[in-house]
Amino acid sequence: MYNKGLYHNWVPKPIQLLLIVLLLAVVMPLGGVYTGNISYVVSGTGAMTEYFMWANYATTIGMGACMPIVMRMKMRFKVRDKMIVLLVLLGLLSYLNATTFNPMIFIFTSLIIGFLKMMVTIELFLPLMVMIGNRGMFYGAFYTFVLVMNQVVAYYAVEVSIQYNWKQFYILISVFCFILALVHWIFMHDKYFALKVPLHYIDWLSILLFISTFMFSAYVFSFGKQQDWLNSKNIINASIGAFVSFASLVLRQLTLKRPYLSFTIFSKNNVQHGLFMLLCLGMFLGTTSIQNTFAVGVLGYDQLTNARLNLLMIPGLVLAGATAIFWFKKEIPLKMFIFSGFSAMMGYVIIMYFSMVLEFSYDGWYLPMFLKGYGMGSLFISVWFYTLDKLELDDMLAAIGLVLVWRTFFAVGLFSALYSWFQYQFQVVAIGDLAVYMDGMTITPQNVAANMKTIQLNAIIAANKKIFGYVILAGFGVLVYIITHHFGREQFTYVRFVRMLSGKSVIARRRLRERKRLIEDIKDAAGPTI
């Protein structure tokens, strides 16, 4: 017997929807580390921050590595058996993080958590997509919920760490996973989704090469500044390892009868432009590290106040989701929706550029964070939809792992690493520029120590402002690119004009009217039958 749903038939539909929402609320924000309480984990373990940045990237890499095989895993096991085992494993891994002080354990568990939670997520995609019906409207609702939950979980990770300690939050997540496993053991059916398929067709070596490629890259992005980039043998060796692993991965796909990854979709125009737009989105999202430096290092916010800033994005995220649902329901072309998203990110960057002052008030965060929330939500939805639009299911599943890692890890990690390096270089230059005022006429020897802090803060502000300025200049180029891109529409209409003169357009319109009339007749006939 097969059952394409998740729960027993006797479970009411509202209860089924509630259980799916609970699963999404717990599983989607789940990770090996949480950006909100990294500072508390660092102080509790005594390890460097870079290890936990690496672990944060590892969660996304694990999700991308699992994506090409999720459908095969979904059809191999019974739904209830697989879901319960996955939730128990996620709970055990979270508990392991709560009891360890070794940063390499965090990295390993983060990778496995990302791999496992993608198998859980695919079980939730299909019922929700069938329920909503429209893929674009589904993205609007799904991404809005997930992005809002990420901000809420990051905030409560900090609050729980302050009131108790960082371990308690991991234990809390672990308990939630065990409770969900028990609940789903009761309500979830024990049938297969479809025809049972074997697992021996999965090429596990390709998965290992995929993971090694991006884990080496994540090491470079995380430790590049700390080890002075190419002056470090570790960074050079990791870069070589990433290149060799990726080359081996590509060559192996050419020799396999059933390749793990497919590179055919990357020749399509919408995929190429979509990847470029995701890279541009990473350029804007990478400024989060500069924002955190300004909020914590210059304005002196504590971690809870800094986490509360991200909650200010929620109204913008909700507006982006509502706009996306309306946009896709009316089937309006995507160009202006994508343009509004990048415009909102530009507004955020411009406001932050002019806000780099020591007297910046907390009330000044409301507008830029609202714009950032709207920009991030709208671009996650619209660019992702455009990139994967009109792709065959097999090709999409075989390449979506690469696109996911490109969007969430590579683009953001690359620009975060670049901004971190430029921020240090510009800060050194700014201190040199400000040193001209450090003489006996303006600062007496007795006041040097008191003024050193002000000079250091002004140097940080000057460096941040310079980076935001360069992002603004690049952002204007992105807006010009968006407004001139065709987004699948014909750029030239002279062919239609020629057809009109030759009379062919009249025939085409007549055939279109006849086809619409036929479709309506079929619908009218099918209605009573259904």
Short mmCIF file of all heavy atoms in Angstrom, two decimals, residues 196-256:
data_model
loop_
_atom_site.label_atom_id
_atom_site.label_comp_id
_atom_site.label_asym_id
_atom_site.label_seq_id
_atom_site.Cartn_x
_atom_site.Cartn_y
_atom_site.Cartn_z
N LYS A 196 8.98 1.18 -3.86
CA LYS A 196 10.24 1.11 -3.12
C LYS A 196 11.42 1.04 -4.09
O LYS A 196 11.44 0.25 -5.02
CB LYS A 196 10.22 -0.12 -2.22
CG LYS A 196 11.42 -0.26 -1.31
CD LYS A 196 11.27 -1.49 -0.42
CE LYS A 196 12.49 -1.70 0.45
NZ LYS A 196 12.35 -2.91 1.29
N VAL A 197 12.42 1.90 -3.85
CA VAL A 197 13.58 1.95 -4.74
C VAL A 197 14.84 1.59 -3.95
O VAL A 197 14.91 1.82 -2.74
CB VAL A 197 13.74 3.36 -5.37
CG1 VAL A 197 12.56 3.70 -6.23
CG2 VAL A 197 13.94 4.41 -4.29
N PRO A 198 15.85 1.03 -4.61
CA PRO A 198 17.09 0.64 -3.90
C PRO A 198 18.00 1.84 -3.64
O PRO A 198 17.90 2.87 -4.31
CB PRO A 198 17.74 -0.35 -4.86
CG PRO A 198 17.26 0.07 -6.21
CD PRO A 198 15.86 0.59 -6.01
N LEU A 199 18.90 1.66 -2.69
CA LEU A 199 19.86 2.71 -2.35
C LEU A 199 21.22 2.50 -2.99
O LEU A 199 22.07 3.39 -2.94
CB LEU A 199 20.04 2.80 -0.82
CG LEU A 199 18.84 3.28 0.00
CD1 LEU A 199 19.22 3.35 1.47
CD2 LEU A 199 18.36 4.64 -0.48
N HIS A 200 21.45 1.33 -3.60
CA HIS A 200 22.80 1.07 -4.10
C HIS A 200 23.12 1.87 -5.35
O HIS A 200 24.25 1.85 -5.84
CB HIS A 200 22.99 -0.43 -4.37
CG HIS A 200 22.06 -0.99 -5.39
ND1 HIS A 200 20.89 -1.63 -5.06
CD2 HIS A 200 22.12 -1.03 -6.76
CE1 HIS A 200 20.27 -2.04 -6.16
NE2 HIS A 200 20.99 -1.67 -7.21
N TYR A 201 22.12 2.61 -5.90
CA TYR A 201 22.40 3.49 -7.03
C TYR A 201 23.02 4.82 -6.59
O TYR A 201 23.45 5.61 -7.42
CB TYR A 201 21.13 3.76 -7.82
CG TYR A 201 20.59 2.55 -8.55
CD1 TYR A 201 19.25 2.21 -8.49
CD2 TYR A 201 21.44 1.75 -9.31
CE1 TYR A 201 18.75 1.10 -9.15
CE2 TYR A 201 20.95 0.65 -9.99
CZ TYR A 201 19.62 0.33 -9.90
OH TYR A 201 19.14 -0.78 -10.57
N ILE A 202 23.01 5.09 -5.30
CA ILE A 202 23.59 6.35 -4.79
C ILE A 202 25.10 6.25 -4.81
O ILE A 202 25.68 5.29 -4.30
CB ILE A 202 23.09 6.65 -3.37
CG1 ILE A 202 21.57 6.85 -3.37
CG2 ILE A 202 23.77 7.89 -2.81
CD1 ILE A 202 20.98 7.04 -1.99
N ASP A 203 25.75 7.23 -5.38
CA ASP A 203 27.21 7.25 -5.44
C ASP A 203 27.73 8.02 -4.22
O ASP A 203 27.81 9.25 -4.23
CB ASP A 203 27.69 7.90 -6.74
CG ASP A 203 29.20 7.82 -6.89
OD1 ASP A 203 29.74 6.71 -6.76
OD2 ASP A 203 29.83 8.87 -7.11
N TRP A 204 28.10 7.27 -3.19
CA TRP A 204 28.52 7.91 -1.94
C TRP A 204 29.86 8.62 -2.08
O TRP A 204 30.14 9.58 -1.35
CB TRP A 204 28.58 6.87 -0.82
CG TRP A 204 27.24 6.27 -0.53
CD1 TRP A 204 26.76 5.05 -0.94
CD2 TRP A 204 26.17 6.89 0.19
NE1 TRP A 204 25.47 4.87 -0.50
CE2 TRP A 204 25.08 5.97 0.20
CE3 TRP A 204 26.03 8.11 0.84
CZ2 TRP A 204 23.88 6.25 0.83
CZ3 TRP A 204 24.82 8.39 1.47
CH2 TRP A 204 23.77 7.48 1.46
N LEU A 205 30.70 8.15 -3.00
CA LEU A 205 31.98 8.84 -3.22
C LEU A 205 31.75 10.25 -3.74
O LEU A 205 32.46 11.20 -3.34
CB LEU A 205 32.84 8.04 -4.20
CG LEU A 205 34.21 8.65 -4.54
CD1 LEU A 205 35.04 8.86 -3.28
CD2 LEU A 205 34.96 7.78 -5.54
N SER A 206 30.76 10.42 -4.63
CA SER A 206 30.45 11.77 -5.12
C SER A 206 29.97 12.67 -3.98
O SER A 206 30.30 13.86 -3.94
CB SER A 206 29.38 11.69 -6.21
OG SER A 206 29.86 11.02 -7.35
N ILE A 207 29.21 12.11 -3.07
CA ILE A 207 28.76 12.90 -1.92
C ILE A 207 29.94 13.34 -1.07
O ILE A 207 30.02 14.50 -0.63
CB ILE A 207 27.75 12.08 -1.08
CG1 ILE A 207 26.50 11.79 -1.89
CG2 ILE A 207 27.40 12.81 0.22
CD1 ILE A 207 25.47 10.95 -1.17
N LEU A 208 30.89 12.44 -0.85
CA LEU A 208 32.09 12.81 -0.08
C LEU A 208 32.90 13.88 -0.81
O LEU A 208 33.43 14.81 -0.17
CB LEU A 208 32.95 11.57 0.16
CG LEU A 208 32.37 10.51 1.11
CD1 LEU A 208 33.31 9.30 1.19
CD2 LEU A 208 32.16 11.10 2.50
N LEU A 209 33.02 13.78 -2.13
CA LEU A 209 33.75 14.81 -2.88
C LEU A 209 33.03 16.15 -2.83
O LEU A 209 33.67 17.20 -2.72
CB LEU A 209 33.92 14.36 -4.34
CG LEU A 209 34.88 13.19 -4.58
CD1 LEU A 209 34.82 12.74 -6.04
CD2 LEU A 209 36.30 13.58 -4.20
N PHE A 210 31.69 16.11 -2.90
CA PHE A 210 30.91 17.35 -2.77
C PHE A 210 31.16 17.99 -1.41
O PHE A 210 31.41 19.21 -1.31
CB PHE A 210 29.43 17.01 -2.94
CG PHE A 210 28.50 18.19 -2.85
CD1 PHE A 210 28.08 18.83 -4.00
CD2 PHE A 210 28.04 18.65 -1.63
CE1 PHE A 210 27.21 19.92 -3.94
CE2 PHE A 210 27.18 19.73 -1.54
CZ PHE A 210 26.77 20.38 -2.70
N ILE A 211 31.10 17.20 -0.35
CA ILE A 211 31.30 17.73 1.00
C ILE A 211 32.71 18.27 1.17
O ILE A 211 32.92 19.36 1.72
CB ILE A 211 30.98 16.64 2.03
CG1 ILE A 211 29.49 16.32 2.04
CG2 ILE A 211 31.44 17.07 3.43
CD1 ILE A 211 29.11 15.14 2.91
N SER A 212 33.70 17.53 0.70
CA SER A 212 35.09 17.98 0.87
C SER A 212 35.36 19.27 0.10
O SER A 212 36.08 20.15 0.57
CB SER A 212 36.06 16.88 0.42
OG SER A 212 35.91 16.63 -0.97
N THR A 213 34.73 19.41 -1.08
CA THR A 213 34.93 20.64 -1.87
C THR A 213 34.52 21.87 -1.08
O THR A 213 35.29 22.84 -0.94
CB THR A 213 34.11 20.57 -3.18
OG1 THR A 213 34.59 19.50 -3.98
CG2 THR A 213 34.22 21.88 -3.95
N PHE A 214 33.33 21.82 -0.52
CA PHE A 214 32.81 23.02 0.14
C PHE A 214 33.26 23.14 1.58
O PHE A 214 33.30 24.25 2.13
CB PHE A 214 31.29 23.04 0.03
CG PHE A 214 30.80 23.23 -1.38
CD1 PHE A 214 30.29 22.17 -2.11
CD2 PHE A 214 30.91 24.47 -2.00
CE1 PHE A 214 29.86 22.34 -3.42
CE2 PHE A 214 30.49 24.65 -3.31
CZ PHE A 214 29.97 23.58 -4.02
N MET A 215 33.62 22.04 2.22
CA MET A 215 34.18 22.15 3.57
C MET A 215 35.57 22.77 3.53
O MET A 215 35.94 23.56 4.40
CB MET A 215 34.22 20.78 4.25
CG MET A 215 32.86 20.26 4.68
SD MET A 215 32.01 21.32 5.87
CE MET A 215 32.99 20.99 7.34
N PHE A 216 36.38 22.42 2.52
CA PHE A 216 37.67 23.10 2.34
C PHE A 216 37.45 24.60 2.07
O PHE A 216 38.16 25.44 2.61
CB PHE A 216 38.44 22.46 1.17
CG PHE A 216 39.18 21.21 1.53
CD1 PHE A 216 39.06 20.06 0.76
CD2 PHE A 216 40.01 21.17 2.65
CE1 PHE A 216 39.74 18.90 1.09
CE2 PHE A 216 40.71 20.02 2.98
CZ PHE A 216 40.57 18.88 2.20
N SER A 217 36.46 24.91 1.23
CA SER A 217 36.17 26.31 0.94
C SER A 217 35.70 27.04 2.19
O SER A 217 36.08 28.20 2.43
CB SER A 217 35.09 26.41 -0.15
OG SER A 217 35.48 25.73 -1.32
N ALA A 218 34.87 26.38 3.00
CA ALA A 218 34.40 27.00 4.24
C ALA A 218 35.54 27.26 5.20
O ALA A 218 35.55 28.26 5.92
CB ALA A 218 33.35 26.10 4.89
N TYR A 219 36.53 26.36 5.21
CA TYR A 219 37.72 26.59 6.06
C TYR A 219 38.45 27.85 5.61
O TYR A 219 38.89 28.66 6.45
CB TYR A 219 38.64 25.38 5.99
CG TYR A 219 39.91 25.53 6.79
CD1 TYR A 219 39.95 25.21 8.14
CD2 TYR A 219 41.07 26.02 6.20
CE1 TYR A 219 41.11 25.37 8.88
CE2 TYR A 219 42.24 26.18 6.92
CZ TYR A 219 42.25 25.85 8.27
OH TYR A 219 43.40 26.02 9.00
N VAL A 220 38.57 28.02 4.29
CA VAL A 220 39.26 29.21 3.77
C VAL A 220 38.51 30.47 4.17
O VAL A 220 39.10 31.46 4.64
CB VAL A 220 39.41 29.11 2.24
CG1 VAL A 220 39.97 30.41 1.67
CG2 VAL A 220 40.31 27.94 1.87
N PHE A 221 37.19 30.49 4.00
CA PHE A 221 36.39 31.67 4.32
C PHE A 221 36.41 31.96 5.83
O PHE A 221 36.40 33.13 6.24
CB PHE A 221 34.94 31.48 3.87
CG PHE A 221 34.79 31.44 2.38
CD1 PHE A 221 33.67 30.86 1.80
CD2 PHE A 221 35.75 31.96 1.54
CE1 PHE A 221 33.51 30.82 0.43
CE2 PHE A 221 35.61 31.92 0.17
CZ PHE A 221 34.49 31.34 -0.39
N SER A 222 36.44 30.92 6.65
CA SER A 222 36.37 31.11 8.10
C SER A 222 37.71 31.54 8.69
O SER A 222 37.76 32.43 9.54
CB SER A 222 35.89 29.82 8.77
OG SER A 222 34.63 29.42 8.29
N PHE A 223 38.80 30.90 8.25
CA PHE A 223 40.10 31.13 8.87
C PHE A 223 41.01 32.03 8.04
O PHE A 223 42.16 32.24 8.43
CB PHE A 223 40.81 29.79 9.10
CG PHE A 223 40.23 28.97 10.23
CD1 PHE A 223 39.19 28.10 10.00
CD2 PHE A 223 40.73 29.10 11.51
CE1 PHE A 223 38.66 27.34 11.02
CE2 PHE A 223 40.22 28.35 12.55
CZ PHE A 223 39.16 27.47 12.30
N GLY A 224 40.52 32.54 6.90
CA GLY A 224 41.39 33.33 6.03
C GLY A 224 41.98 34.54 6.72
O GLY A 224 43.20 34.77 6.68
N LYS A 225 41.16 35.34 7.38
CA LYS A 225 41.65 36.54 8.06
C LYS A 225 42.54 36.17 9.23
O LYS A 225 43.60 36.77 9.44
CB LYS A 225 40.47 37.38 8.54
CG LYS A 225 40.89 38.62 9.29
CD LYS A 225 39.69 39.39 9.79
CE LYS A 225 40.11 40.59 10.65
NZ LYS A 225 38.94 41.33 11.18
N GLN A 226 42.14 35.16 10.00
CA GLN A 226 42.90 34.79 11.20
C GLN A 226 44.29 34.27 10.84
O GLN A 226 45.25 34.48 11.58
CB GLN A 226 42.11 33.73 11.98
CG GLN A 226 42.70 33.36 13.33
CD GLN A 226 43.57 32.11 13.27
OE1 GLN A 226 43.41 31.27 12.37
NE2 GLN A 226 44.48 31.97 14.21
N GLN A 227 44.43 33.61 9.67
CA GLN A 227 45.72 33.04 9.28
C GLN A 227 46.40 33.84 8.17
O GLN A 227 47.37 33.36 7.57
CB GLN A 227 45.53 31.59 8.84
CG GLN A 227 44.98 30.71 9.96
CD GLN A 227 45.08 29.23 9.65
OE1 GLN A 227 45.82 28.83 8.75
NE2 GLN A 227 44.35 28.42 10.39
N ASP A 228 45.89 35.04 7.89
CA ASP A 228 46.51 35.95 6.93
C ASP A 228 46.53 35.37 5.51
O ASP A 228 47.52 35.47 4.78
CB ASP A 228 47.94 36.33 7.36
CG ASP A 228 48.44 37.57 6.64
OD1 ASP A 228 47.59 38.29 6.06
OD2 ASP A 228 49.65 37.82 6.63
N TRP A 229 45.43 34.74 5.13
CA TRP A 229 45.18 34.31 3.77
C TRP A 229 46.34 33.53 3.16
O TRP A 229 46.77 32.54 3.73
CB TRP A 229 44.78 35.50 2.91
CG TRP A 229 43.50 36.12 3.38
CD1 TRP A 229 43.35 37.23 4.15
CD2 TRP A 229 42.17 35.62 3.18
NE1 TRP A 229 42.03 37.47 4.44
CE2 TRP A 229 41.26 36.50 3.84
CE3 TRP A 229 41.64 34.54 2.49
CZ2 TRP A 229 39.89 36.32 3.84
CZ3 TRP A 229 40.26 34.36 2.47
CH2 TRP A 229 39.41 35.24 3.14
N LEU A 230 46.88 33.99 2.04
CA LEU A 230 47.86 33.20 1.31
C LEU A 230 49.23 33.16 1.97
O LEU A 230 50.13 32.48 1.47
CB LEU A 230 47.99 33.74 -0.13
CG LEU A 230 46.74 33.61 -1.00
CD1 LEU A 230 47.00 34.16 -2.38
CD2 LEU A 230 46.27 32.17 -1.08
N ASN A 231 49.39 33.86 3.08
CA ASN A 231 50.63 33.73 3.85
C ASN A 231 50.60 32.50 4.76
O ASN A 231 51.57 32.24 5.47
CB ASN A 231 50.87 34.98 4.70
CG ASN A 231 51.21 36.18 3.84
OD1 ASN A 231 51.94 36.05 2.84
ND2 ASN A 231 50.68 37.33 4.18
N SER A 232 49.49 31.78 4.76
CA SER A 232 49.35 30.59 5.59
C SER A 232 49.37 29.34 4.71
O SER A 232 48.67 29.26 3.69
CB SER A 232 48.03 30.66 6.38
OG SER A 232 47.73 29.41 6.96
N LYS A 233 50.15 28.35 5.10
CA LYS A 233 50.18 27.08 4.37
C LYS A 233 48.84 26.36 4.46
O LYS A 233 48.43 25.67 3.52
CB LYS A 233 51.30 26.18 4.91
CG LYS A 233 52.70 26.67 4.58
CD LYS A 233 53.74 25.67 5.06
CE LYS A 233 55.15 26.15 4.67
NZ LYS A 233 56.18 25.19 5.15
N ASN A 234 48.17 26.49 5.60
CA ASN A 234 46.87 25.83 5.77
C ASN A 234 45.85 26.35 4.76
O ASN A 234 45.07 25.58 4.18
CB ASN A 234 46.36 26.04 7.19
CG ASN A 234 47.20 25.30 8.22
OD1 ASN A 234 47.86 24.31 7.90
ND2 ASN A 234 47.20 25.79 9.45
N ILE A 235 45.84 27.66 4.57
CA ILE A 235 44.88 28.25 3.62
C ILE A 235 45.21 27.81 2.20
O ILE A 235 44.31 27.47 1.40
CB ILE A 235 44.89 29.78 3.73
CG1 ILE A 235 44.46 30.22 5.14
CG2 ILE A 235 44.00 30.41 2.68
CD1 ILE A 235 43.05 29.81 5.49
N ILE A 236 46.48 27.79 1.85
CA ILE A 236 46.89 27.37 0.50
C ILE A 236 46.51 25.91 0.28
O ILE A 236 45.95 25.53 -0.77
CB ILE A 236 48.39 27.60 0.31
CG1 ILE A 236 48.72 29.09 0.34
CG2 ILE A 236 48.86 26.97 -1.01
CD1 ILE A 236 50.20 29.40 0.26
N ASN A 237 46.81 25.05 1.26
CA ASN A 237 46.50 23.63 1.12
C ASN A 237 44.99 23.39 1.04
O ASN A 237 44.52 22.55 0.27
CB ASN A 237 47.08 22.84 2.30
CG ASN A 237 48.60 22.82 2.28
OD1 ASN A 237 49.22 22.97 1.22
ND2 ASN A 237 49.22 22.64 3.44
N ALA A 238 44.21 24.15 1.83
CA ALA A 238 42.75 24.00 1.79
C ALA A 238 42.21 24.45 0.43
O ALA A 238 41.28 23.83 -0.12
CB ALA A 238 42.10 24.80 2.91
N SER A 239 42.77 25.52 -0.12
CA SER A 239 42.33 25.98 -1.45
C SER A 239 42.64 24.94 -2.52
O SER A 239 41.80 24.66 -3.39
CB SER A 239 43.02 27.31 -1.78
OG SER A 239 42.74 28.29 -0.81
N ILE A 240 43.82 24.35 -2.44
CA ILE A 240 44.18 23.29 -3.40
C ILE A 240 43.25 22.09 -3.22
O ILE A 240 42.78 21.49 -4.19
CB ILE A 240 45.65 22.89 -3.22
CG1 ILE A 240 46.57 24.06 -3.59
CG2 ILE A 240 45.98 21.66 -4.06
CD1 ILE A 240 48.04 23.80 -3.29
N GLY A 241 42.96 21.74 -1.95
CA GLY A 241 42.06 20.63 -1.69
C GLY A 241 40.67 20.86 -2.25
O GLY A 241 40.04 19.94 -2.81
N ALA A 242 40.16 22.09 -2.13
CA ALA A 242 38.84 22.41 -2.68
C ALA A 242 38.83 22.28 -4.19
O ALA A 242 37.89 21.73 -4.78
CB ALA A 242 38.43 23.82 -2.26
N PHE A 243 39.88 22.77 -4.84
CA PHE A 243 39.96 22.71 -6.31
C PHE A 243 40.06 21.27 -6.79
O PHE A 243 39.35 20.86 -7.73
CB PHE A 243 41.15 23.52 -6.80
CG PHE A 243 41.36 23.45 -8.29
CD1 PHE A 243 40.58 24.20 -9.15
CD2 PHE A 243 42.33 22.62 -8.83
CE1 PHE A 243 40.75 24.13 -10.52
CE2 PHE A 243 42.51 22.54 -10.20
CZ PHE A 243 41.73 23.30 -11.04
N VAL A 244 40.93 20.48 -6.16
CA VAL A 244 41.11 19.08 -6.57
C VAL A 244 39.82 18.28 -6.34
O VAL A 244 39.42 17.47 -7.18
CB VAL A 244 42.29 18.45 -5.81
CG1 VAL A 244 42.37 16.95 -6.08
CG2 VAL A 244 43.60 19.13 -6.23
N SER A 245 39.16 18.52 -5.21
CA SER A 245 37.92 17.80 -4.91
C SER A 245 36.84 18.13 -5.92
O SER A 245 36.11 17.24 -6.39
CB SER A 245 37.44 18.14 -3.50
OG SER A 245 38.39 17.76 -2.52
N PHE A 246 36.72 19.40 -6.28
CA PHE A 246 35.69 19.79 -7.25
C PHE A 246 36.00 19.23 -8.63
O PHE A 246 35.09 18.76 -9.34
CB PHE A 246 35.57 21.31 -7.31
CG PHE A 246 34.44 21.79 -8.18
CD1 PHE A 246 33.13 21.63 -7.79
CD2 PHE A 246 34.70 22.37 -9.41
CE1 PHE A 246 32.08 22.05 -8.60
CE2 PHE A 246 33.67 22.80 -10.22
CZ PHE A 246 32.35 22.64 -9.81
N ALA A 247 37.27 19.28 -9.03
CA ALA A 247 37.65 18.71 -10.33
C ALA A 247 37.36 17.21 -10.36
O ALA A 247 36.84 16.68 -11.36
CB ALA A 247 39.12 18.99 -10.60
N SER A 248 37.67 16.51 -9.27
CA SER A 248 37.39 15.07 -9.20
C SER A 248 35.90 14.80 -9.24
O SER A 248 35.44 13.84 -9.86
CB SER A 248 38.00 14.48 -7.92
OG SER A 248 39.39 14.71 -7.86
N LEU A 249 35.12 15.66 -8.58
CA LEU A 249 33.66 15.51 -8.57
C LEU A 249 33.09 15.65 -9.98
O LEU A 249 32.25 14.85 -10.41
CB LEU A 249 33.04 16.55 -7.64
CG LEU A 249 31.52 16.61 -7.56
CD1 LEU A 249 30.96 15.31 -6.97
CD2 LEU A 249 31.06 17.80 -6.73
N VAL A 250 33.57 16.66 -10.71
CA VAL A 250 33.07 16.88 -12.07
C VAL A 250 33.45 15.71 -12.98
O VAL A 250 32.62 15.20 -13.75
CB VAL A 250 33.62 18.21 -12.62
CG1 VAL A 250 33.25 18.37 -14.09
CG2 VAL A 250 33.08 19.39 -11.82
N LEU A 251 34.69 15.27 -12.90
CA LEU A 251 35.13 14.16 -13.75
C LEU A 251 34.37 12.88 -13.44
O LEU A 251 34.05 12.10 -14.35
CB LEU A 251 36.64 13.95 -13.58
CG LEU A 251 37.55 15.06 -14.11
CD1 LEU A 251 39.00 14.78 -13.78
CD2 LEU A 251 37.38 15.21 -15.62
N ARG A 252 34.07 12.67 -12.17
CA ARG A 252 33.36 11.45 -11.81
C ARG A 252 31.93 11.45 -12.36
O ARG A 252 31.42 10.40 -12.76
CB ARG A 252 33.35 11.26 -10.30
CG ARG A 252 32.68 9.97 -9.86
CD ARG A 252 33.01 9.58 -8.44
NE ARG A 252 32.34 8.34 -8.06
CZ ARG A 252 32.76 7.12 -8.39
NH1 ARG A 252 33.85 6.98 -9.12
NH2 ARG A 252 32.10 6.05 -8.00
N GLN A 253 31.31 12.61 -12.39
CA GLN A 253 29.93 12.67 -12.90
C GLN A 253 29.88 12.30 -14.39
O GLN A 253 28.86 11.80 -14.88
CB GLN A 253 29.34 14.07 -12.69
CG GLN A 253 29.35 14.55 -11.25
CD GLN A 253 28.95 13.50 -10.24
OE1 GLN A 253 27.84 12.99 -10.28
NE2 GLN A 253 29.87 13.17 -9.34
N LEU A 254 30.98 12.55 -15.11
CA LEU A 254 31.01 12.24 -16.53
C LEU A 254 31.12 10.74 -16.80
O LEU A 254 30.84 10.29 -17.92
CB LEU A 254 32.18 12.97 -17.20
CG LEU A 254 32.15 14.50 -17.10
CD1 LEU A 254 33.41 15.09 -17.73
CD2 LEU A 254 30.90 15.06 -17.77
N THR A 255 31.53 9.97 -15.80
CA THR A 255 31.74 8.53 -15.98
C THR A 255 30.62 7.69 -15.39
O THR A 255 30.62 6.47 -15.57
CB THR A 255 33.07 8.10 -15.34
OG1 THR A 255 33.04 8.38 -13.93
CG2 THR A 255 34.23 8.88 -15.97
N LEU A 256 29.68 8.32 -14.68
CA LEU A 256 28.63 7.56 -14.01
C LEU A 256 27.40 7.40 -14.89
O LEU A 256 27.02 8.32 -15.62
CB LEU A 256 28.23 8.25 -12.70
CG LEU A 256 29.26 8.26 -11.57
CD1 LEU A 256 28.75 9.08 -10.40
CD2 LEU A 256 29.57 6.84 -11.11
#
